[in-house]
Amino acid sequence: WSKQMAIKSVSFEGNKVVSDAELFAVVAPHLEGAYGHLLPRRNTFIFPKDDIEADILASFVRIEKVAIDREGFSKILVAVVERDSTGLWCGPSTTASCYFIDKTALAFAVAPRLNGRSFVVYERALPLKPIGTTLTSEESFIELGHLIDSVATLGFNTRRVVWKEDALELVTMFATKTGNEDVRLRVPLTGPYEQTFTNLASIVQSQKNKKVGADEEPFVFSNLEYIDLRFENRIFYKEEIGASMVE
């Protein structure tokens, strides 16, 4: 019970969105009272550090990590790491809500419905309470991120990813001679996507090397409704006026 060993102040570090007051409101109750009416919880050597850390993580989904250290005998420092936004999870309706998701696909905060210039927008049905739930498994989200980065090297810059019943549809912007065009890439619901990327790369390269005859129309990505990359070594594409297949 020595006053020299009692925690008198709490400081916070690393929080940008969650305020000091919000964090202190979670910490303070843990420093009141005593264990079994005998040992004070505020004592710098026996305060419930693990319980405080667990309570902060449970109270704020936005916070990814927390660590508490003593600073002398009368002060503790609560250091937190808030989650970084890597995309937006939006419902399929244009009026549906959106949520920020982190690198693990976890929804942690409400977000405005942006146009995808700052973040890739992932369109999928939302659960009743999205915050604290995941868009997809972390493994699948990482695989999808690798695919998005890979197709960007071919000139397909992904703005949206739309979940369909039997496919994912990447809505991309592709640079053509006449300007930027929307090109939709249909890929399997789950990875790995190495073969998917290889197939797309092959058709891009083949069209670059193709010599078009006098009576033959050149293949242009801007005339396509979508390119379907779900079928091993076959690539299907649907033109605005019909459907074709390239092997």
Side-chain angles (χ1 to χ4, degrees), residues 69 129 200 212:
D69 291 309
K129 296 181 179 180
L200 182 62
V212 180

Side-chain angles (χ1 to χ4, degrees), residues 63-200:
I63 294 178
E64 182 179 6
K65 298 177 183 177
V66 58
I68 301 176
D69 291 309
R70 288 188 293 110
E71 290 192 338
F73 292 109
S74 61
K75 181 179 179 180
I76 59 173
L77 172 65
V78 180
V80 302
V81 176
E82 294 182 347
R83 298 180 188 276
D84 289 326
S85 305
T86 60
L88 297 183
W89 177 6
C90 300
S93 167
T94 56
T95 59
S97 301
C98 293
Y99 297 84
F100 288 116
I101 57 176
D102 70 356
K103 61 186 178 182
T104 68
L106 178 75
F108 63 89
V110 177
R113 194 176 184 100
L114 304 177
N115 58 8
R117 292 178 182 175
S118 300
F119 298 103
V120 175
V121 174
Y122 300 88
E123 291 188 4
R124 191 177 194 180
L126 293 164
L128 186 61
K129 296 181 179 180
I131 292 180
T133 63
T134 54
L135 169 74
T136 184
S137 70
E138 181 177 355
E139 181 181 357
S140 295
F141 193 60
I142 291 172
E143 289 279 357
L144 180 56
H146 289 162
L147 177 63
I148 290 172
D149 292 340
S150 297
V151 299
T153 66
L154 302 175
F156 298 90
N157 295 307
T158 303
R159 297 179 301 157
R160 289 189 296 129
V161 178
V162 181
W163 262 255
K164 296 185 174 295
E165 289 186 4
D166 57 354
L168 292 181
E169 190 167 88
L170 278 60
V171 182
T172 72
M173 186 72 76
F174 185 76
T176 67
K177 293 181 179 179
T178 58
N180 293 323
E181 301 285 349
D182 281 343
V183 178
R184 295 173 179 262
L185 306 176
R186 290 191 177 178
V187 303
L189 286 168
T190 58
Y193 292 110
E194 286 83 357
Q195 187 63 50
T196 302
F197 173 72
T198 299
N199 288 347
L200 182 62

Side-chain angles (χ1 to χ4, degrees), residues 1-9 31 35 39-49 68-77:
W1 290 94
S2 171
K3 292 182 178 179
Q4 286 75 21
M5 296 183 183
I7 296 170
K8 298 182 179 64
S9 64
L31 302 179
Y35 300 102
L39 302 176
R41 292 176 180 273
R42 192 176 288 270
N43 184 286
T44 189
F45 293 106
I46 60 173
F47 75 96
K49 173 177 174 291
I68 301 176
D69 291 309
R70 288 188 293 110
E71 290 192 338
F73 292 109
S74 61
K75 181 179 179 180
I76 59 173
L77 172 65

